[in-house]
Amino acid sequence: MSYSLMIHGGAGALEDLKYEASEAVFRESVLSILQAGRQRLEGGESALAVVEFCVMMLEDSPLYNAGRGSVLNAQGQVEMDAALMNGSDLRAGGVTCVKNVKNPIALARQVLEQGDHVLLAADGALQFAKQQGTELCPDAYFVTEARIKQLAEAQAAGRMTLDHERIKPAQKLGTVGAVACDLSGNLAAAASTGGLVNKRWGRVGDTPIVGAGVYADNETCAVSATGYGEQFLRTVFAKTIADFVQFQGLDAAGAAQAGIDYLVRKVNGDGGRS
Ligand code: ASP
């Protein structure tokens, strides 16, 4: 039995941007996290543990729109969403609109393991984090200079944008995610984000919603999406891809393409997936 692992740092075309230095930094970061995740799968860790691990590493890096370095909402605050799903039994956990949680994906894992609920929001999620002893950080840990500048640009343009959308260049970094198949053939998917730049506070995107931003089922595939969350919610994007595998017999790559075609055709959607 072999294993497989894919991770992403958000949608967007690096080659369009011509920012060689930051592209190199970005690639090095993704590749080192991928390598660390591969070693864990090789060592026999579960797909669920490895997608959580990879997303935590991505959250800890200020390069991405997740955890430290998350984009800012219209009030200049970080509000984060994350979720993960286990393909062997469809257990899932998510958190939405959380502040001060160092690794929202780790909190989502605790929601999954605790098992009573699938999704916890805002203050309730924070209270759960405190009860679980999850690591918390002050606001200053999450907010970077680049994000303050990015919000000012979005507000000056009167827009709500994807992290990597170009109001001005060099805004290509994004939401993070991972999908894996472990040595036992079990699948898992995870995603984490600060959401959209200049979003309304309290806004919930696709990332914490099972079936929209993430989905994993051993019978079909594992999906972690990135792009405009509203469009992914309206097309139940991740589950739509799984359904192409289940009911139309497509392979994972074919199903992903069919899902994107559907997204574009139905809601003129914009994004990517792994
Ligand atoms: N899907 C995320 C959201 O809408 C954004 C992204 O993927 O960059 O919250």
Side-chain angles (χ1 to χ4, degrees):
M1 197 78 194
S2 63
Y3 65 84
S4 59
L5 176 64
M6 293 172 74
I7 67 173
H8 70 79
L14 281 171
E15 54 277 13
D16 283 354
L17 293 165
K18 313 283 185 231
Y19 275 75
E20 303 303 335
S22 42
E23 177 174 338
V25 169
F26 193 51
R27 281 186 188 282
E28 193 184 308
S29 162
V30 169
L31 288 175
S32 72
I33 293 167
L34 188 64
Q35 188 52 28
R38 287 173 61 97
Q39 275 168 8
R40 285 172 180 251
L41 284 169
E42 248 165 47
E45 281 193 35
S46 72
L48 184 65
V50 172
V51 294
E52 180 193 1
F53 167 78
C54 291
V55 169
M56 278 180 73
M57 297 292 102
L58 292 157
E59 287 175 340
D60 287 345
S61 166
L63 288 174
Y64 308 97
N65 174 19
R68 182 167 173 234
S70 285
V71 300
L72 303 179
N73 69 12
Q75 296 181 321
Q77 295 173 334
V78 167
E79 280 186 324
M80 299 168 288
D81 297 338
L84 75 184
M85 186 162 187
N86 191 43
S88 63
D89 53 12
L90 305 194
R91 282 184 307 146
V95 292
T96 184
C97 298
V98 289
K99 293 178 181 164
N100 303 110
V101 174
K102 180 169 180 278
N103 291 110
I105 199 68
L107 187 59
R109 174 79 188 267
Q110 282 165 330
V111 173
L112 179 153
E113 294 299 341
Q114 209 269 340
D116 286 343
H117 304 296
V118 169
L119 182 61
L120 292 181
D123 288 350
L126 188 59
Q127 196 179 343
F128 178 69
K130 287 176 183 164
Q131 282 165 356
Q132 299 292 312
T134 306
E135 190 170 353
L136 302 178
C137 292
D139 292 345
Y141 167 82
F142 298 92
V143 180
T144 64
E145 279 303 313
R147 296 311 190 190
I148 293 170
K149 201 165 152 263
Q150 182 187 43
L151 177 64
E153 283 167 6
Q155 290 185 331
R159 296 196 35 207
M160 184 178 73
T161 67
L162 285 172
D163 172 29
H164 34 72
E165 219 170 305
R166 282 172 289 160
I167 299 174
K168 293 211 175 131
Q171 295 182 351
K172 67 183 180 305
L173 310 170
T175 287
V176 305
V179 292
C181 176
D182 62 28
L183 289 173
S184 308
N186 289 317
L187 302 182
S192 180
T193 189
L196 299 179
V197 184
N198 200 24
K199 66 184 180 180
R200 184 179 282 273
W201 67 270
R203 176 261 189 186
V204 179
D206 61 310
T207 304
I209 307 296
V210 167
V214 293
Y215 197 73
D217 180 352
N218 281 5
E219 285 182 19
T220 56
C221 60
V223 181
S224 173
T226 173
Y228 271 105
E230 281 68 12
Q231 297 158 351
F232 287 18
L233 284 163
R234 288 160 63 203
T235 53
V236 198
F237 182 71
K239 179 66 163 72
T240 296
I241 289 177
D243 284 351
F244 277 118
V245 175
Q246 184 136 35
F247 303 119
Q248 305 239 348
L250 300 187
D251 64 13
Q257 190 56 55
I260 288 176
D261 292 346
Y262 179 77
L263 179 80
V264 172
R265 182 167 62 80
K266 295 297 280 190
V267 297
N268 196 23
D270 190 7
R273 84 291 173 231
S274 66

